[in-house]
């Protein structure tokens, strides 16, 4: 499913982008992150895939169904998937950058990865020939936030 926010649908990160693994995994955990990253492989020509959740979990090495369901629940908790009344699972095709509130809760190296990956992603989007004025306004606002954040230095790793 497209992300519920139009801005994320237009300029969010695809599920197979390194941002999902390097940044979102702080919240989703390893098995739910792996689920997200595998989803685009299941979709062909933007058509939904029909797979049994237990089989999908086993294909990822999640041998216990409880781990599979817990991982799906994590995706739903963070708005990356939702259960439909039909019992099907709808998964967003893109993820949003972490919010400022979420970034306060992650380690400094994750914030640094966020800044680097988001900046590169926005640069690519701004350079594409189909960028609209709305896209560019949103991208410029995010870049301004990044510049402001860099005004306060992050603590580096120490021994």
């Amino acid at each position: 499913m497209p992300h519920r926010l139009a801005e994320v649908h237009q300029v969010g990160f695809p599920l197979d982008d390194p941002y999902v693994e390097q940044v979102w995994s702080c919240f989703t955990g390893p098995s739910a992150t792996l689920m997200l990253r595998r989803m685009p492989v299941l979709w062909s020509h933007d058509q939904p895939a029909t797979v049994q959740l237990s089989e999908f979990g086993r294909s990822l090495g999640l041998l216990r169904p409880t781990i599979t369901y817990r991982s799906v629940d994590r995706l739903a908790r963070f708005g990356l998937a939702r259960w439909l009344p039909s019992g099907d699972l709808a998964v967003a095709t893109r993820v949003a950058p972490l919010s400022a509130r979420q970034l306060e809760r992650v380690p400094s190296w994750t914030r640094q990865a966020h800044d680097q990956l988001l900046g590169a992603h926005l640069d690519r989007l701004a350079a594409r020939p189909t960028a609209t004025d709305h896209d560019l306004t949103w991208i410029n606002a995010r870049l301004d936030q990044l510049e402001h954040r860099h005004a306060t230095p992050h603590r580096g790793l120490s021994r």
Side-chain angles (χ1 to χ4, degrees), residues 20-38:
V20 174
E21 183 177 329
Q22 294 180 34
V23 180
W24 262 103
S25 61
C26 282
F27 292 97
T28 59
S31 56
T33 299
L34 183 57
M35 283 183 165
L36 277 180
R37 301 226 351 134
R38 183 69 62 85

Side-chain angles (χ1 to χ4, degrees), residues 13-25 28-43 56 60 75 91-92 95 117:
F13 291 93
L15 299 182
D16 56 0
D17 193 275
Y19 188 89
V20 174
E21 183 177 329
Q22 294 180 34
V23 180
W24 262 103
S25 61
T28 59
S31 56
T33 299
L34 183 57
M35 283 183 165
L36 277 180
R37 301 226 351 134
R38 183 69 62 85
M39 290 293 172
V41 175
L42 296 175
W43 300 322
F56 181 54
L60 298 172
L75 295 176
V91 180
V95 300
L117 294 168

Side-chain angles (χ1 to χ4, degrees), residues 35-82:
M35 283 183 165
L36 277 180
R37 301 226 351 134
R38 183 69 62 85
M39 290 293 172
V41 175
L42 296 175
W43 300 322
S44 62
H45 302 89
D46 294 325
Q47 296 298 313
T50 302
V51 294
Q52 293 296 320
L53 190 56
S54 60
E55 288 179 24
F56 181 54
R58 283 196 317 268
S59 77
L60 298 172
L62 306 176
L63 302 179
R64 291 186 306 204
T66 55
I67 296 172
T68 301
Y69 286 101
R70 199 169 41 225
S71 299
V72 170
D73 285 342
R74 289 184 74 87
L75 295 176
R77 188 175 337 146
F78 290 103
L80 302 172
R82 66 182 170 95

